[in-house]
Every structure is written in structure tokens, then in C-alpha cells.
Amino acid sequence: MLDTMEKEVLYSREAIRKRIGELAGEIDCRYAGKELVVIGVLKGAFIFMADLIRCLQVPCIVDFVRVASYGAGSVTSGTVTITKDIETDILGRDVLIVEDIIDTGLTLTYLVNALKKRRPASVSVCAFIDKRLRRQIPFEADYVGFSMKDGFVIGYGLDFDEKARFLPDVYVVKNL
Ligand code: IMP
């Protein structure tokens, strides 16, 4: 299927590496002298998170959360639930959520609110890709790798029907 898919590189592995170095620098500045709890949103963020934390100077511990949003077909109803929770007590801790893509904004709005109820010292969000024009509710990430207008992207952790996560570059799919 991947062979027949018409796709072109949008963000090369080199561009991604460079951008992650810049993001890590910003995060290091803000959290100097602290320890971060980095929470990756499964599955799409796992490669981005792995590369990001290896560029950070601030010490961190890692955990993962998995969320599901329900709706008919590709239209989301806005109902989001946690299907795999973190195992870390975040009370009084500085939390950085690492997400693959912000699209409608529903997932992260829900997740940030759910985690804030556990009274962390702070919660910030680092998203690999921001599709700003597709928001259904306003949401601003603290750190954004790349912004794009529209289109469907795969690779570097991002899937199409669970395929293509392993590709080292990010591609935009042409014939969807
Ligand atoms: P939302 O912000 O609640 O709409 O959720 C965004 C989620 O939709 C992301 O975490 C991805 O899992 C998925 N998603 C949105 N756009 C793409 C894409 O272009 N490729 C792969 N997954 C996508």
C-alpha cells in the first residue's frame, strides 16, 4: 500500500533534527534547574518524544498516555477518553505533554484539563506539527515543531491506518 501511495517529503530527517534541537533549547531555558515529567501521547508521538528528550539538558522522567476520540467516520464528536493512563503522580511536578499533531484541538484540550485536575506545578504542550487552520476549539501549544495548513502527513511516528510510522521523514500524502 505504501508503495502505491503518492507522497512527497514535507519535513526531511535533517530538518526535523535541526528543529528538535531548537525546541529542546527553548524547553531547557524555561525549565533550567527543574526536573520534567514528559508525557507522550501514544502512539503518534513516540518517535518525536524519543528524539526530543535526547536533546534536552534538563533531566526528565517519561510516561505515556493514550486517548481515544469518538465520532462517526472522520467527524469527531468531541468525546475524548483516556484509554491508557499515566502511572506517575504529577502532583506538584512540571509536566510537558508531547503530542504528534494538533488538529481540531479537542484531544489536547481534554488532556490538559484532565491532567490539571491532578494539581501539577505546571502543564505545557510540545506538538510536533500544528494544523492551526483546522481548530474546532481554540488551543495554543507552548512549543510547535512545524505548522502546516492542510493535508495528511505520515512517517516519523505518524500513521495512515497504522502504516508508515517507521518512515524516518515526514511525507504529505497526495492521493487521499
Ligand atoms: P485532534 O487535535 O483532537 O483533532 O487530534 C489530532 C490527532 O489526529 C493527532 O494526534 C493524530 O493522531 C491525528 N491526526 C490528525 N492529522 C493527522 C495526519 O495528517 N496524519 C496522521 N494523524 C493525524
Side-chain angles (χ1 to χ4, degrees), residues 99-107 131 151-153 158-159:
E99 171 67 304
D100 58 353
I101 297 181
I102 317 176
D103 191 32
T104 62
L106 294 168
T107 304
K131 294 184 176 178
F152 196 84
V153 282
L158 309 168
D159 76 309

Side-chain angles (χ1 to χ4, degrees), residues 5 15 19 29 37 39 46 51 55 65-66 68 70 87 89 95 101 106 108 116-117 122 126-127 140 143 154 157 171:
M5 201 178 246
R19 186 69 191 114
C29 277
V37 180
I39 299 177
F46 79 110
D51 284 345
C55 286
V65 66
R66 185 141 200 218
Y70 299 100
E87 291 153 22
D89 182 3
V95 170
I101 297 181
L106 294 168
L108 278 170
K116 278 186 174 167
K117 287 185 185 142
S122 67
C126 179
E140 286 291 332
Y143 310 97
I154 57 170
Y171 294 81

Side-chain angles (χ1 to χ4, degrees), residues 53-137:
I53 62 168
R54 283 179 291 177
C55 286
L56 289 178
Q57 299 291 319
V58 284
C60 66
I61 62 164
V62 299
D63 206 334
F64 292 94
V65 66
R66 185 141 200 218
V67 290
S69 49
Y70 299 100
S74 59
V75 183
T76 175
S77 64
T79 309
V80 183
T81 55
I82 293 177
T83 57
K84 184 242 167 280
D85 206 343
I86 53 169
E87 291 153 22
T88 309
D89 182 3
I90 57 170
L91 178 68
R93 314 282 309 262
D94 291 295
V95 170
L96 177 70
I97 301 173
V98 178
E99 171 67 304
D100 58 353
I101 297 181
I102 317 176
D103 191 32
T104 62
L106 294 168
T107 304
L108 278 170
T109 299
Y110 170 82
L111 192 56
V112 167
N113 288 335
L115 293 182
K116 278 186 174 167
K117 287 185 185 142
R118 301 177 194 184
R119 293 184 290 136
S122 67
V123 180
S124 63
V125 172
C126 179
F128 178 51
I129 292 172
D130 191 353
K131 294 184 176 178
R132 302 186 64 83
L133 298 180
R134 289 186 38 89
R135 289 290 195 286
Q136 286 179 19
I137 40 175

